[in-house]
């Protein structure tokens, strides 16, 4: 059973750093997903004049799926979850999509607010329970997000499908 592990970052560099840590856990760049608003994509991943190197998210974001009715961009395997939710008629926004993916309401609301504030969701489907714990450590880095105060510090969330 695959589990989706999600973290929230604010910048291109933080997304790249999170991806590198996920890769260090034995995953590939193609297994890492990003989700953000179109404005965040334009700010953090501007269209290059040349093709970005394939070892960066620039290439993936350049080929990302735009969900115009919902106002966000998704790159990577999470695009299938989003497409399935949109195909099923879920139009309530990111929160509703995350809820259908099994994310508890309070986490879905936090992630949606973070994305709306210009954050980037970084996610990966964990292959095992051991990896879920490891990926939590990777994505729970307190320097990866400043959307919450220390009292409400962000934690990565995982969900079973």
């Amino acid at each position: 059973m695959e589990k989706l592990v999600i973290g929230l970052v604010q910048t291109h560099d933080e997304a790249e750093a999170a991806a590198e840590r996920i890769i260090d856990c034995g995953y590939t760049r193609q297994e890492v997903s990003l989700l953000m608003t179109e404005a965040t994509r334009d700010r953090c991943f501007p269209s290059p004049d040349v093709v970005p190197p394939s070892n960066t998210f620039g290439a993936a974001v350049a080929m990302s799926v735009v969900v115009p009715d919902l106002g966000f961009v998704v790159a990577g395997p999470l695009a299938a979850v989003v497409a399935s939710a949109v195909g099923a008629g879920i139009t309530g926004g990111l929160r509703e999509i995350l809820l259908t993916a099994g994310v508890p309401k309070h986490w879905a609301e936090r992630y949606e607010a973070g994305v709306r504030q210009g954050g980037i969701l970084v996610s990966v489907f964990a292959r095992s329970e051991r990896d879920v714990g490891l990926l939590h450590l990777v994505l729970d880095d307190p320097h990866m997000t400043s959307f919450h105060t220390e009292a409400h510090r962000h934690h990565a969330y995982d969900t079973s499908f």
Side-chain angles (χ1 to χ4, degrees):
M1 184 178 290
E2 289 187 320
K3 291 189 175 200
L4 180 64
V5 181
I6 303 171
L8 182 66
V9 299
Q10 293 185 57
T11 68
H12 176 265
D13 289 343
E14 289 175 352
E16 290 289 347
E20 288 304 318
R21 289 193 296 261
I22 291 168
I23 291 166
D24 288 344
C25 293
Y27 290 81
T28 65
R29 187 167 292 276
Q30 291 76 26
E31 292 175 289
V32 179
S33 296
L34 298 179
L35 187 142
M36 67 199 84
T37 64
E38 290 181 80
T40 300
R41 180 196 56 192
D42 294 343
R43 176 178 51 85
C44 294
F45 299 90
S47 298
D49 293 332
V50 297
V51 176
S54 62
N55 65 337
T56 67
F57 276 120
V61 172
M63 298 183 299
S64 59
V65 177
V66 178
V67 186
D69 293 342
L70 301 177
F72 57 81
V73 176
V74 61
L78 189 60
V81 173
V82 172
S84 176
V86 171
I90 296 171
T91 58
L94 179 58
R95 182 180 79 90
E96 294 301 318
I97 290 171
L98 293 175
L99 288 171
T100 65
V103 176
K105 184 178 177 182
H106 70 280
W107 283 110
E109 289 171 350
R110 284 183 182 187
Y111 288 137
E112 182 175 53
V115 168
R116 295 280 177 227
Q117 292 173 24
I120 303 166
L121 286 187
V122 179
S123 66
V124 63
F125 289 97
R127 297 183 197 119
S128 68
E129 286 299 319
R130 178 195 157 278
D131 283 1
V132 169
L134 184 59
L135 291 164
H136 272 281
L137 293 174
V138 166
L139 295 175
D140 274 348
D141 183 338
H143 302 294
M144 287 179 53
T145 181
S146 64
F147 289 115
H148 307 288
T149 64
E150 191 58 32
H152 295 94
R153 196 171 82 73
H154 166 78
H155 295 280
Y157 180 76
D158 67 88
T159 181
S160 300
F161 285 100

